[in-house]
Amino acid sequence: IGIDEYFSEGADCLIEWPTHGQGVLPVCDIEVYLNLVKGRRRAEIHGCSKYGEKAVGEFNSQARSTK
């Protein structure tokens, strides 16, 4: 598999250190930030494209419905 196959349409690919792939990686659709806040883990998920915004919205809807 070449790097292009990882980023084909319909594929989900998470890159831990995207700055190491500058010039090779495509523009991101979603950014995920992991932090510790008062000793608790917190994840912030942001859509960076129309596709990413839609995916984050769907994720948030599903997360709310499972509470």
Side-chain angles (χ1 to χ4, degrees):
I1 281 183
I3 194 164
D4 293 337
E5 283 81 37
Y6 285 104
F7 304 108
S8 63
E9 190 171 327
D12 295 326
C13 187
L14 302 174
I15 306 294
E16 186 173 0
W17 297 102
T19 54
H20 293 268
Q22 284 182 322
V24 177
L25 297 174
V27 176
C28 71
D29 291 305
I30 298 171
E31 291 181 332
V32 178
Y33 298 93
L34 304 173
N35 299 296
L36 277 176
V37 178
K38 297 181 181 179
R40 299 187 71 180
R41 294 183 193 120
R42 178 181 174 94
E44 293 182 33
I45 306 170
H46 302 275
C48 302
S49 67
K50 288 187 186 276
Y51 171 81
E53 290 172 1
K54 180 181 178 201
V56 170
E58 290 173 3
F59 174 81
N60 287 335
S61 292
Q62 289 179 3
R64 280 190 285 273
S65 69
T66 60
K67 286 186 177 182

